[in-house]
Every structure is written in C-alpha cells, then in structure tokens.
Amino acid sequence: MSILRPEVERPRDRAAAAEPRDGRSEDRPRRGIAATLARAARFVGRTLRGEWYGIVVDPLRQLRQRGPAALLLAFVACAGVIFFHAIAQHPSGATVVRLIGGVQGDLPLWLALLRTPVSLYVPALDLPVWAGITQLFLAFALAELSLGRRRTLLVAYASTLAGTLTVRLMMALGPGWWGIGLPPEVGQVLDTGPSAAVVGLFTYLSVVRHAPIVFTLTGGSMVLESIAKPNLAGREHLIAVAAALVLGLLHERSRRRRQALARPADTLAA
C-alpha cells in the first residue's frame, strides 16, 4: 500500500495512463505532416483545375460557339510575323522592315510611336521565329476568346509601349542609379518585337482569370531570364509584366466596384 495521499497519487496515475504504450505519440508529427501535405495537394489541385477551366476550357467553349472567325487577331499576328520574317531574309527587305517597324531608343519619340504598332509583328532577328509563333498564336488566341479583340489589342499595345517608353527613361537616367539607368549605346538596339505583347497578354490573363500558377510561370520566367541574361530584352519583358499586372489589377478593381454598385439596385428591385 502506498503511503501517499490519494490526491497526490491521482495526478501521477493520470500521467501514467496518458503515456502511450504502443508508440502512437511518435506517429503524431507524421500525421501532422501528412495532413499538411494532403491539404497542400488539394489546394494545388483545386487551383490547377480552376486555371484549366479559366484559361483553356472557357476559351475553347467560346471558339466552339463563335467559330474560327473568333481567332482573327491570332491569325493576323502570326501572318504578320511570318511575312516580315520572310522579307527580312534579304538585305533590302531587312532594311525595309527596320524602317517601318524597327523601334530603337535613339529614335525621335514621334517616330518610335509611329512604328510601335508595326513592331508587334516584327520578330527579333536573333531568336527562332517558328518557336515564337506558337507562343504568339496561343497568347492572342486565348486573349481574343477571353477578353475580346479590343481589350486584347489594348493590352498587347500597352505592354509593348510601356517597354519602349521606360527604356527611354532609363537611357535618360544614364549609367548607374542602382543598375536602373542604361548607357546611350543601348539606344541602337532593337526592341523585343511581339514577345513583350505575348508576355503582357499571358500576365493580364492570369490576373483577370485568377491564375496564380500561370502568373508565377510567366513572371518567374521573365525574372530568371533577366538574371541569366541581363540585356535590354529582359528588362522590356519585366516592364511588360509590370504594365499588364497594373492593367489587370485596375480591371479587377473596376469590376468589383461595379458589382458593389449593382448589389443595392438588385436589393431594391427584389
């Protein structure tokens, strides 16, 4: 018989009873990790499913309803790139392409603005054009089906124009400025052509369609490109991402405001 009082003995008994006899307490951290991984997997699965329907399935439904005519911008963009690429294979043709669609930082501003719409169809001479056409077609096709032609052209042009104007600002700052400024010789380098528009369209789509994975792949690849190959094209791509991101956020803010204003009217009508 124990000489301890019952009230002293009882907590010890409870502690002894709480001690695991089959080693199950060691499984609790594993169960916690497994549960966390399961929740993360479900979140990623839901996100991928939502992005698949928002970025791919919904545009395909629009294509089925509207027919091939809904891809007019995509076909025109690809045809324009192929046309200018074919002309640029000859010395005289390359000169013509440069004069009507080549945008450089040292051009007068009015001339650069005049050439910018044509530059959307002038491919970079140091990149494989046929690989870029696939990306160009997908970007314009998905955007045209999801956003409409007017907004697709607006986002593509704004993304390209943002890069052109920002490069001029960087050149005006000059070398230094924590790596933001650019030397004057950069003004003789041609801009990125249609690639800035492609990056801008994918970024804008990922914002308005709430596709964080697509946004991460688009923006992350541009950041990696600018780090691995710090050149003018990398900077213009980052600027295109930033411009499209701002446009997408402004559109979402405007949409939410319209929804908030429509709710009281619906309540009164009910």
Side-chain angles (χ1 to χ4, degrees):
M1 179 181 294
S2 175
I3 61 174
L4 295 177
R5 295 191 303 273
E7 58 271 16
V8 178
E9 202 172 355
R10 195 170 299 118
R12 181 181 296 178
D13 295 339
R14 291 177 180 174
E19 292 181 359
R21 298 180 181 179
D22 53 357
R24 293 180 181 176
S25 62
E26 299 178 356
D27 295 337
R28 292 178 182 175
R30 299 177 182 175
R31 294 177 182 175
I33 295 175
T36 302
L37 292 177
R39 288 194 295 270
R42 287 194 296 268
F43 172 77
V44 172
R46 290 194 301 267
T47 303
L48 287 174
R49 184 175 183 272
E51 294 190 18
W52 172 257
Y53 276 89
I55 301 295
V56 178
V57 176
D58 288 345
L60 288 178
R61 290 174 179 171
Q62 292 292 328
L63 179 61
R64 182 182 302 176
Q65 295 176 1
R66 297 160 56 186
L71 301 178
L72 177 63
L73 285 182
F75 287 122
V76 169
C78 292
V81 169
I82 295 173
F83 174 74
F84 284 112
H85 174 72
I87 293 179
Q89 301 307 307
H90 305 279
S92 57
T95 303
V96 172
V97 172
R98 190 182 184 92
L99 290 177
I100 65 176
V103 177
Q104 303 169 199
D106 59 356
L107 289 176
L109 181 59
W110 67 270
L111 185 57
L113 295 177
L114 188 64
R115 293 182 181 181
T116 298
V118 184
S119 70
L120 292 174
Y121 308 104
V122 177
L125 299 179
D126 57 342
L127 295 177
V129 63
W130 298 107
I133 285 179
T134 303
Q135 300 177 8
L136 181 70
F137 181 83
L138 286 177
F140 272 90
L142 294 175
E144 187 175 3
L145 292 170
S146 302
L147 311 175
R149 292 173 184 169
R150 182 179 301 178
R151 191 151 42 126
T152 298
L153 286 175
L154 174 63
V155 173
Y157 183 73
S159 301
T160 304
L161 186 62
T164 300
L165 297 179
T166 307
V167 166
R168 289 177 170 271
L169 178 60
M170 292 179 179
M171 290 175 55
L173 293 175
W177 289 87
W178 299 281
I180 298 178
L182 292 173
E185 55 267 21
V186 175
Q188 301 178 2
V189 180
L190 288 174
D191 69 351
T192 58
S195 60
V198 171
V199 172
L201 288 174
F202 274 122
T203 302
Y204 186 89
L205 276 174
S206 65
V207 174
V208 299
R209 290 290 183 169
H210 307 285
I213 296 178
V214 174
F215 177 79
T216 302
L217 293 175
T218 303
S221 62
M222 294 302 101
V223 172
L224 292 177
E225 176 193 0
S226 62
I227 294 175
K229 192 176 181 181
N231 54 12
L232 184 62
R235 293 196 181 204
E236 290 187 343
H237 289 160
L238 288 178
I239 295 168
V241 169
L245 175 62
V246 172
L247 290 176
L249 293 177
L250 290 176
H251 177 268
E252 286 298 289
R253 181 180 179 182
S254 176
R255 182 182 62 83
R256 292 175 182 175
R257 183 178 299 177
R258 290 195 301 268
Q259 290 179 350
L261 293 176
R263 288 172 185 171
D266 295 339
T267 303
L268 293 175

